[in-house]
Amino acid sequence: MLEYEQSVWSAGKRLVAGVDEVGRGCLFGDVVAAAVILPQGLVLEEVNDSKKLSAKKRDKLYDIIRQEAVAVGVGIVDVETIEKINIRQASLLAMKLAVKSLEVTPDYLLVDAEQVNVPIEQMSLIHGDAVSQAIAAASIIAKVTRDRMCLKWDEEFPGYGLADHKGYATKFHRERILEFGPTAMHRSLFLRKLLGTGEEEEVEQGVLF
């Protein structure tokens, strides 16, 4: 998990930030990104792709990462903006906001499958959260942050099961949308295929049927 970090450190780049996002394939809610700079040489044995970890493990690692990191930045883009600029551009914007919110400027970025629009040297890694500790740490910060937001949204919009499925297109979630109708926090472009209310849109990372 440190192979890419080691290559960057050996080139003299000390502050290496991992960048990742969550919520891109959801039917509901904001997209959240995180940027994490870990100390050079630090090994966090249990850090891995957030999707492969239990919620309890993610919460534990979230606290450890927050404690050990040189800096942590979070970027959030709301549903209104997602609808205006599309989910991919919103995800990229969230990543940019996460990097810019870091308290220190990184020397280098390791980014999960994307390029961030900032004047910082960077590398895009496919499945980066599975091969880079920094990206995996960012995925954990982003995932836990958004999951906690989902708990609050579940109280605001009861009946949709948001605390459980976190806004993804589960059978239960689809059924509740069809029964109750979408909320103001549902992504209308993602729902067109589900509800048959307009032209079908390609849903990135979230298949409705």
mmCIF file of all heavy atoms in Angstrom, residues 69-114:
data_model
loop_
_atom_site.group_PDB
_atom_site.id
_atom_site.type_symbol
_atom_site.label_atom_id
_atom_site.label_comp_id
_atom_site.label_asym_id
_atom_site.label_seq_id
_atom_site.Cartn_x
_atom_site.Cartn_y
_atom_site.Cartn_z
ATOM 1 N N ALA A 69 -2.663 12.076 10.886
ATOM 2 C CA ALA A 69 -2.429 12.793 9.630
ATOM 3 C C ALA A 69 -1.756 14.145 9.837
ATOM 4 O O ALA A 69 -1.978 14.830 10.844
ATOM 5 C CB ALA A 69 -3.746 12.990 8.887
ATOM 6 N N VAL A 70 -0.938 14.512 8.870
ATOM 7 C CA VAL A 70 -0.385 15.869 8.823
ATOM 8 C C VAL A 70 -1.508 16.861 8.549
ATOM 9 O O VAL A 70 -1.564 17.947 9.131
ATOM 10 C CB VAL A 70 0.690 15.959 7.714
ATOM 11 C CG1 VAL A 70 1.177 17.398 7.553
ATOM 12 C CG2 VAL A 70 1.842 15.019 8.007
ATOM 13 N N ALA A 71 -2.417 16.478 7.671
ATOM 14 C CA ALA A 71 -3.562 17.334 7.347
ATOM 15 C C ALA A 71 -4.658 16.490 6.717
ATOM 16 O O ALA A 71 -4.388 15.499 6.029
ATOM 17 C CB ALA A 71 -3.154 18.445 6.392
ATOM 18 N N VAL A 72 -5.902 16.905 6.963
ATOM 19 C CA VAL A 72 -7.084 16.271 6.368
ATOM 20 C C VAL A 72 -7.988 17.363 5.821
ATOM 21 O O VAL A 72 -8.280 18.343 6.514
ATOM 22 C CB VAL A 72 -7.862 15.425 7.402
ATOM 23 C CG1 VAL A 72 -9.168 14.906 6.784
ATOM 24 C CG2 VAL A 72 -7.017 14.278 7.901
ATOM 25 N N GLY A 73 -8.414 17.202 4.576
ATOM 26 C CA GLY A 73 -9.342 18.147 3.972
ATOM 27 C C GLY A 73 -10.565 17.419 3.448
ATOM 28 O O GLY A 73 -10.461 16.301 2.956
ATOM 29 N N VAL A 74 -11.728 18.063 3.559
ATOM 30 C CA VAL A 74 -12.977 17.475 3.072
ATOM 31 C C VAL A 74 -13.663 18.470 2.140
ATOM 32 O O VAL A 74 -13.698 19.669 2.419
ATOM 33 C CB VAL A 74 -13.921 17.117 4.247
ATOM 34 C CG1 VAL A 74 -15.296 16.672 3.733
ATOM 35 C CG2 VAL A 74 -13.303 16.014 5.107
ATOM 36 N N GLY A 75 -14.177 17.954 1.034
ATOM 37 C CA GLY A 75 -14.924 18.770 0.094
ATOM 38 C C GLY A 75 -16.299 18.176 -0.133
ATOM 39 O O GLY A 75 -16.427 16.965 -0.309
ATOM 40 N N ILE A 76 -17.335 19.017 -0.105
ATOM 41 C CA ILE A 76 -18.721 18.552 -0.259
ATOM 42 C C ILE A 76 -19.397 19.365 -1.352
ATOM 43 O O ILE A 76 -19.322 20.602 -1.356
ATOM 44 C CB ILE A 76 -19.494 18.702 1.064
ATOM 45 C CG1 ILE A 76 -18.839 17.859 2.162
ATOM 46 C CG2 ILE A 76 -20.964 18.298 0.878
ATOM 47 C CD1 ILE A 76 -19.420 18.093 3.553
ATOM 48 N N VAL A 77 -20.057 18.678 -2.275
ATOM 49 C CA VAL A 77 -20.815 19.347 -3.337
ATOM 50 C C VAL A 77 -22.265 18.892 -3.231
ATOM 51 O O VAL A 77 -22.548 17.681 -3.203
ATOM 52 C CB VAL A 77 -20.240 19.030 -4.727
ATOM 53 C CG1 VAL A 77 -21.118 19.622 -5.831
ATOM 54 C CG2 VAL A 77 -18.821 19.570 -4.843
ATOM 55 N N ASP A 78 -23.176 19.836 -3.164
ATOM 56 C CA ASP A 78 -24.575 19.514 -2.890
ATOM 57 C C ASP A 78 -25.334 19.062 -4.135
ATOM 58 O O ASP A 78 -24.841 19.129 -5.258
ATOM 59 C CB ASP A 78 -25.281 20.696 -2.218
ATOM 60 C CG ASP A 78 -25.318 21.959 -3.088
ATOM 61 O OD1 ASP A 78 -25.174 21.862 -4.323
ATOM 62 O OD2 ASP A 78 -25.496 23.045 -2.522
ATOM 63 N N VAL A 79 -26.560 18.592 -3.891
ATOM 64 C CA VAL A 79 -27.381 18.024 -4.963
ATOM 65 C C VAL A 79 -27.705 19.063 -6.027
ATOM 66 O O VAL A 79 -27.704 18.756 -7.232
ATOM 67 C CB VAL A 79 -28.677 17.424 -4.373
ATOM 68 C CG1 VAL A 79 -29.617 16.978 -5.486
ATOM 69 C CG2 VAL A 79 -28.346 16.252 -3.461
ATOM 70 N N GLU A 80 -27.977 20.282 -5.613
ATOM 71 C CA GLU A 80 -28.291 21.334 -6.584
ATOM 72 C C GLU A 80 -27.155 21.513 -7.586
ATOM 73 O O GLU A 80 -27.385 21.641 -8.794
ATOM 74 C CB GLU A 80 -28.567 22.654 -5.860
ATOM 75 C CG GLU A 80 -28.960 23.800 -6.797
ATOM 76 C CD GLU A 80 -29.255 25.084 -6.051
ATOM 77 O OE1 GLU A 80 -29.149 25.104 -4.810
ATOM 78 O OE2 GLU A 80 -29.598 26.078 -6.720
ATOM 79 N N THR A 81 -25.941 21.499 -7.093
ATOM 80 C CA THR A 81 -24.780 21.640 -7.980
ATOM 81 C C THR A 81 -24.586 20.393 -8.835
ATOM 82 O O THR A 81 -24.249 20.494 -10.022
ATOM 83 C CB THR A 81 -23.514 21.923 -7.156
ATOM 84 O OG1 THR A 81 -23.726 23.083 -6.343
ATOM 85 C CG2 THR A 81 -22.314 22.166 -8.066
ATOM 86 N N ILE A 82 -24.799 19.228 -8.245
ATOM 87 C CA ILE A 82 -24.715 17.987 -9.022
ATOM 88 C C ILE A 82 -25.657 18.049 -10.219
ATOM 89 O O ILE A 82 -25.301 17.677 -11.340
ATOM 90 C CB ILE A 82 -25.052 16.768 -8.136
ATOM 91 C CG1 ILE A 82 -23.970 16.550 -7.066
ATOM 92 C CG2 ILE A 82 -25.218 15.497 -8.992
ATOM 93 C CD1 ILE A 82 -24.330 15.519 -6.018
ATOM 94 N N GLU A 83 -26.874 18.534 -10.001
ATOM 95 C CA GLU A 83 -27.868 18.610 -11.068
ATOM 96 C C GLU A 83 -27.444 19.601 -12.158
ATOM 97 O O GLU A 83 -27.752 19.404 -13.330
ATOM 98 C CB GLU A 83 -29.221 19.042 -10.496
ATOM 99 C CG GLU A 83 -29.772 18.109 -9.443
ATOM 100 C CD GLU A 83 -30.386 16.843 -10.028
ATOM 101 O OE1 GLU A 83 -29.623 16.017 -10.594
ATOM 102 O OE2 GLU A 83 -31.599 16.674 -9.937
ATOM 103 N N LYS A 84 -26.725 20.629 -11.746
ATOM 104 C CA LYS A 84 -26.323 21.673 -12.709
ATOM 105 C C LYS A 84 -25.131 21.244 -13.563
ATOM 106 O O LYS A 84 -25.082 21.545 -14.757
ATOM 107 C CB LYS A 84 -25.971 22.959 -11.963
ATOM 108 C CG LYS A 84 -27.166 23.709 -11.395
ATOM 109 C CD LYS A 84 -26.710 24.961 -10.664
ATOM 110 C CE LYS A 84 -27.888 25.741 -10.094
ATOM 111 N NZ LYS A 84 -27.433 26.938 -9.315
ATOM 112 N N ILE A 85 -24.158 20.569 -12.946
ATOM 113 C CA ILE A 85 -22.898 20.345 -13.671
ATOM 114 C C ILE A 85 -22.614 18.877 -13.957
ATOM 115 O O ILE A 85 -21.600 18.578 -14.571
ATOM 116 C CB ILE A 85 -21.709 20.965 -12.903
ATOM 117 C CG1 ILE A 85 -21.462 20.248 -11.563
ATOM 118 C CG2 ILE A 85 -21.926 22.455 -12.695
ATOM 119 C CD1 ILE A 85 -20.221 20.757 -10.818
ATOM 120 N N ASN A 86 -23.443 17.968 -13.552
ATOM 121 C CA ASN A 86 -23.385 16.504 -13.671
ATOM 122 C C ASN A 86 -22.498 15.900 -12.587
ATOM 123 O O ASN A 86 -21.655 16.570 -11.995
ATOM 124 C CB ASN A 86 -23.030 16.007 -15.080
ATOM 125 C CG ASN A 86 -21.555 16.120 -15.451
ATOM 126 O OD1 ASN A 86 -20.669 15.735 -14.689
ATOM 127 N ND2 ASN A 86 -21.290 16.642 -16.639
ATOM 128 N N ILE A 87 -22.717 14.618 -12.340
ATOM 129 C CA ILE A 87 -22.097 13.976 -11.176
ATOM 130 C C ILE A 87 -20.581 13.871 -11.308
ATOM 131 O O ILE A 87 -19.855 14.003 -10.322
ATOM 132 C CB ILE A 87 -22.738 12.594 -10.910
ATOM 133 C CG1 ILE A 87 -22.174 11.964 -9.633
ATOM 134 C CG2 ILE A 87 -22.562 11.668 -12.105
ATOM 135 C CD1 ILE A 87 -22.353 12.801 -8.376
ATOM 136 N N ARG A 88 -20.081 13.627 -12.508
ATOM 137 C CA ARG A 88 -18.619 13.515 -12.643
ATOM 138 C C ARG A 88 -17.953 14.847 -12.325
ATOM 139 O O ARG A 88 -16.962 14.888 -11.584
ATOM 140 C CB ARG A 88 -18.220 13.044 -14.033
ATOM 141 C CG ARG A 88 -16.696 12.932 -14.176
ATOM 142 C CD ARG A 88 -16.257 12.216 -15.427
ATOM 143 N NE ARG A 88 -14.805 12.041 -15.410
ATOM 144 C CZ ARG A 88 -13.943 12.934 -15.914
ATOM 145 N NH1 ARG A 88 -14.384 14.028 -16.511
ATOM 146 N NH2 ARG A 88 -12.638 12.714 -15.839
ATOM 147 N N GLN A 89 -18.480 15.930 -12.892
ATOM 148 C CA GLN A 89 -17.893 17.241 -12.621
ATOM 149 C C GLN A 89 -18.048 17.620 -11.152
ATOM 150 O O GLN A 89 -17.167 18.253 -10.562
ATOM 151 C CB GLN A 89 -18.540 18.300 -13.522
ATOM 152 C CG GLN A 89 -18.233 18.130 -15.002
ATOM 153 C CD GLN A 89 -16.746 18.115 -15.293
ATOM 154 O OE1 GLN A 89 -15.978 18.906 -14.739
ATOM 155 N NE2 GLN A 89 -16.328 17.196 -16.158
ATOM 156 N N ALA A 90 -19.151 17.213 -10.543
ATOM 157 C CA ALA A 90 -19.355 17.489 -9.122
ATOM 158 C C ALA A 90 -18.349 16.716 -8.271
ATOM 159 O O ALA A 90 -17.830 17.231 -7.275
ATOM 160 C CB ALA A 90 -20.783 17.126 -8.716
ATOM 161 N N SER A 91 -18.054 15.476 -8.677
ATOM 162 C CA SER A 91 -17.063 14.682 -7.955
ATOM 163 C C SER A 91 -15.676 15.313 -8.052
ATOM 164 O O SER A 91 -14.937 15.388 -7.071
ATOM 165 C CB SER A 91 -17.022 13.259 -8.513
ATOM 166 O OG SER A 91 -18.254 12.607 -8.342
ATOM 167 N N LEU A 92 -15.342 15.790 -9.252
ATOM 168 C CA LEU A 92 -14.055 16.461 -9.445
ATOM 169 C C LEU A 92 -13.983 17.751 -8.636
ATOM 170 O O LEU A 92 -12.938 18.089 -8.065
ATOM 171 C CB LEU A 92 -13.842 16.757 -10.928
ATOM 172 C CG LEU A 92 -13.652 15.540 -11.838
ATOM 173 C CD1 LEU A 92 -13.601 15.972 -13.296
ATOM 174 C CD2 LEU A 92 -12.398 14.758 -11.475
ATOM 175 N N LEU A 93 -15.098 18.481 -8.569
ATOM 176 C CA LEU A 93 -15.131 19.704 -7.777
ATOM 177 C C LEU A 93 -14.955 19.387 -6.296
ATOM 178 O O LEU A 93 -14.226 20.095 -5.583
ATOM 179 C CB LEU A 93 -16.456 20.439 -8.013
ATOM 180 C CG LEU A 93 -16.689 21.707 -7.188
ATOM 181 C CD1 LEU A 93 -15.576 22.731 -7.393
ATOM 182 C CD2 LEU A 93 -18.053 22.316 -7.522
ATOM 183 N N ALA A 94 -15.607 18.334 -5.820
ATOM 184 C CA ALA A 94 -15.461 17.949 -4.417
ATOM 185 C C ALA A 94 -14.006 17.610 -4.101
ATOM 186 O O ALA A 94 -13.483 17.975 -3.043
ATOM 187 C CB ALA A 94 -16.364 16.756 -4.103
ATOM 188 N N MET A 95 -13.334 16.918 -5.032
ATOM 189 C CA MET A 95 -11.913 16.598 -4.836
ATOM 190 C C MET A 95 -11.071 17.875 -4.766
ATOM 191 O O MET A 95 -10.183 18.008 -3.910
ATOM 192 C CB MET A 95 -11.418 15.708 -5.971
ATOM 193 C CG MET A 95 -11.926 14.276 -5.932
ATOM 194 S SD MET A 95 -11.246 13.312 -7.321
ATOM 195 C CE MET A 95 -11.718 11.645 -6.841
ATOM 196 N N LYS A 96 -11.369 18.805 -5.662
ATOM 197 C CA LYS A 96 -10.630 20.074 -5.664
ATOM 198 C C LYS A 96 -10.833 20.821 -4.350
ATOM 199 O O LYS A 96 -9.873 21.347 -3.754
ATOM 200 C CB LYS A 96 -11.088 20.935 -6.844
ATOM 201 C CG LYS A 96 -10.394 22.278 -6.936
ATOM 202 C CD LYS A 96 -10.866 23.055 -8.167
ATOM 203 C CE LYS A 96 -10.173 24.400 -8.281
ATOM 204 N NZ LYS A 96 -10.612 25.136 -9.506
ATOM 205 N N LEU A 97 -12.074 20.862 -3.874
ATOM 206 C CA LEU A 97 -12.371 21.541 -2.616
ATOM 207 C C LEU A 97 -11.667 20.862 -1.445
ATOM 208 O O LEU A 97 -11.192 21.526 -0.517
ATOM 209 C CB LEU A 97 -13.883 21.559 -2.379
ATOM 210 C CG LEU A 97 -14.712 22.411 -3.346
ATOM 211 C CD1 LEU A 97 -16.204 22.197 -3.108
ATOM 212 C CD2 LEU A 97 -14.363 23.885 -3.209
ATOM 213 N N ALA A 98 -11.581 19.533 -1.497
ATOM 214 C CA ALA A 98 -10.894 18.796 -0.428
ATOM 215 C C ALA A 98 -9.415 19.154 -0.382
ATOM 216 O O ALA A 98 -8.851 19.402 0.681
ATOM 217 C CB ALA A 98 -11.082 17.290 -0.632
ATOM 218 N N VAL A 99 -8.787 19.188 -1.543
ATOM 219 C CA VAL A 99 -7.363 19.535 -1.608
ATOM 220 C C VAL A 99 -7.140 20.967 -1.134
ATOM 221 O O VAL A 99 -6.213 21.240 -0.353
ATOM 222 C CB VAL A 99 -6.826 19.338 -3.040
ATOM 223 C CG1 VAL A 99 -5.400 19.884 -3.157
ATOM 224 C CG2 VAL A 99 -6.858 17.871 -3.435
ATOM 225 N N LYS A 100 -8.000 21.871 -1.584
ATOM 226 C CA LYS A 100 -7.818 23.286 -1.225
ATOM 227 C C LYS A 100 -8.114 23.547 0.248
ATOM 228 O O LYS A 100 -7.674 24.562 0.792
ATOM 229 C CB LYS A 100 -8.712 24.155 -2.122
ATOM 230 C CG LYS A 100 -8.287 24.145 -3.579
ATOM 231 C CD LYS A 100 -9.175 25.002 -4.449
ATOM 232 C CE LYS A 100 -8.932 26.487 -4.250
ATOM 233 N NZ LYS A 100 -7.609 26.892 -4.760
ATOM 234 N N SER A 101 -8.848 22.641 0.901
ATOM 235 C CA SER A 101 -9.152 22.840 2.322
ATOM 236 C C SER A 101 -8.068 22.291 3.248
ATOM 237 O O SER A 101 -8.151 22.462 4.467
ATOM 238 C CB SER A 101 -10.494 22.197 2.668
ATOM 239 O OG SER A 101 -10.417 20.791 2.616
ATOM 240 N N LEU A 102 -7.058 21.626 2.679
ATOM 241 C CA LEU A 102 -5.942 21.161 3.499
ATOM 242 C C LEU A 102 -5.223 22.343 4.146
ATOM 243 O O LEU A 102 -5.027 23.377 3.506
ATOM 244 C CB LEU A 102 -4.952 20.363 2.642
ATOM 245 C CG LEU A 102 -5.406 18.988 2.158
ATOM 246 C CD1 LEU A 102 -4.477 18.483 1.062
ATOM 247 C CD2 LEU A 102 -5.443 17.992 3.323
ATOM 248 N N GLU A 103 -4.810 22.175 5.381
ATOM 249 C CA GLU A 103 -4.141 23.256 6.098
ATOM 250 C C GLU A 103 -2.731 23.498 5.589
ATOM 251 O O GLU A 103 -2.168 24.578 5.805
ATOM 252 C CB GLU A 103 -4.119 22.963 7.598
ATOM 253 C CG GLU A 103 -5.507 22.971 8.233
ATOM 254 C CD GLU A 103 -5.461 22.707 9.718
ATOM 255 O OE1 GLU A 103 -4.351 22.433 10.242
ATOM 256 O OE2 GLU A 103 -6.515 22.767 10.364
ATOM 257 N N VAL A 104 -2.143 22.492 4.955
ATOM 258 C CA VAL A 104 -0.830 22.646 4.334
ATOM 259 C C VAL A 104 -0.948 22.239 2.871
ATOM 260 O O VAL A 104 -1.755 21.387 2.520
ATOM 261 C CB VAL A 104 0.256 21.806 5.036
ATOM 262 C CG1 VAL A 104 0.454 22.287 6.460
ATOM 263 C CG2 VAL A 104 -0.093 20.329 5.006
ATOM 264 N N THR A 105 -0.147 22.848 2.018
ATOM 265 C CA THR A 105 -0.202 22.533 0.590
ATOM 266 C C THR A 105 0.640 21.302 0.298
ATOM 267 O O THR A 105 1.835 21.279 0.599
ATOM 268 C CB THR A 105 0.315 23.716 -0.243
ATOM 269 O OG1 THR A 105 -0.480 24.870 0.044
ATOM 270 C CG2 THR A 105 0.218 23.414 -1.738
ATOM 271 N N PRO A 106 0.031 20.283 -0.294
ATOM 272 C CA PRO A 106 0.805 19.073 -0.593
ATOM 273 C C PRO A 106 1.798 19.297 -1.723
ATOM 274 O O PRO A 106 1.606 20.157 -2.586
ATOM 275 C CB PRO A 106 -0.271 18.065 -0.992
ATOM 276 C CG PRO A 106 -1.430 18.881 -1.445
ATOM 277 C CD PRO A 106 -1.386 20.144 -0.645
ATOM 278 N N ASP A 107 2.861 18.492 -1.719
ATOM 279 C CA ASP A 107 3.843 18.521 -2.805
ATOM 280 C C ASP A 107 3.395 17.672 -3.991
ATOM 281 O O ASP A 107 3.854 17.881 -5.123
ATOM 282 C CB ASP A 107 5.189 17.946 -2.310
ATOM 283 C CG ASP A 107 5.765 18.713 -1.144
ATOM 284 O OD1 ASP A 107 5.657 19.953 -1.154
ATOM 285 O OD2 ASP A 107 6.315 18.077 -0.231
ATOM 286 N N TYR A 108 2.491 16.716 -3.699
ATOM 287 C CA TYR A 108 2.113 15.743 -4.734
ATOM 288 C C TYR A 108 0.769 15.130 -4.354
ATOM 289 O O TYR A 108 0.455 14.983 -3.168
ATOM 290 C CB TYR A 108 3.176 14.634 -4.824
ATOM 291 C CG TYR A 108 3.166 13.833 -6.097
ATOM 292 C CD1 TYR A 108 3.982 14.188 -7.163
ATOM 293 C CD2 TYR A 108 2.333 12.715 -6.243
ATOM 294 C CE1 TYR A 108 3.980 13.447 -8.338
ATOM 295 C CE2 TYR A 108 2.322 11.976 -7.408
ATOM 296 C CZ TYR A 108 3.157 12.347 -8.461
ATOM 297 O OH TYR A 108 3.152 11.621 -9.622
ATOM 298 N N LEU A 109 -0.018 14.770 -5.378
ATOM 299 C CA LEU A 109 -1.309 14.129 -5.153
ATOM 300 C C LEU A 109 -1.324 12.726 -5.756
ATOM 301 O O LEU A 109 -0.852 12.515 -6.876
ATOM 302 C CB LEU A 109 -2.454 14.927 -5.802
ATOM 303 C CG LEU A 109 -2.623 16.398 -5.443
ATOM 304 C CD1 LEU A 109 -3.828 16.971 -6.183
ATOM 305 C CD2 LEU A 109 -2.767 16.588 -3.944
ATOM 306 N N LEU A 110 -1.875 11.790 -5.010
ATOM 307 C CA LEU A 110 -2.235 10.478 -5.529
ATOM 308 C C LEU A 110 -3.758 10.434 -5.534
ATOM 309 O O LEU A 110 -4.389 10.548 -4.475
ATOM 310 C CB LEU A 110 -1.664 9.367 -4.646
ATOM 311 C CG LEU A 110 -0.136 9.258 -4.609
ATOM 312 C CD1 LEU A 110 0.293 8.213 -3.573
ATOM 313 C CD2 LEU A 110 0.428 8.905 -5.978
ATOM 314 N N VAL A 111 -4.341 10.285 -6.712
ATOM 315 C CA VAL A 111 -5.786 10.463 -6.876
ATOM 316 C C VAL A 111 -6.416 9.175 -7.393
ATOM 317 O O VAL A 111 -5.883 8.538 -8.304
ATOM 318 C CB VAL A 111 -6.094 11.612 -7.852
ATOM 319 C CG1 VAL A 111 -7.600 11.912 -7.869
ATOM 320 C CG2 VAL A 111 -5.302 12.863 -7.484
ATOM 321 N N ASP A 112 -7.549 8.829 -6.834
ATOM 322 C CA ASP A 112 -8.256 7.629 -7.272
ATOM 323 C C ASP A 112 -8.937 7.871 -8.619
ATOM 324 O O ASP A 112 -9.990 8.498 -8.693
ATOM 325 C CB ASP A 112 -9.289 7.206 -6.233
ATOM 326 C CG ASP A 112 -9.945 5.877 -6.568
ATOM 327 O OD1 ASP A 112 -9.209 4.943 -6.932
ATOM 328 O OD2 ASP A 112 -11.186 5.772 -6.491
ATOM 329 N N ALA A 113 -8.293 7.404 -9.679
ATOM 330 C CA ALA A 113 -8.883 7.313 -11.034
ATOM 331 C C ALA A 113 -9.254 8.647 -11.679
ATOM 332 O O ALA A 113 -9.970 8.653 -12.679
ATOM 333 C CB ALA A 113 -10.115 6.400 -10.999
ATOM 334 N N GLU A 114 -8.790 9.755 -11.144
ATOM 335 C CA GLU A 114 -9.139 11.057 -11.713
ATOM 336 C C GLU A 114 -7.944 12.002 -11.674
ATOM 337 O O GLU A 114 -6.894 11.684 -11.119
ATOM 338 C CB GLU A 114 -10.308 11.694 -10.945
ATOM 339 C CG GLU A 114 -11.641 10.979 -11.092
ATOM 340 C CD GLU A 114 -12.284 11.150 -12.456
ATOM 341 O OE1 GLU A 114 -11.655 11.776 -13.347
ATOM 342 O OE2 GLU A 114 -13.409 10.656 -12.654
#
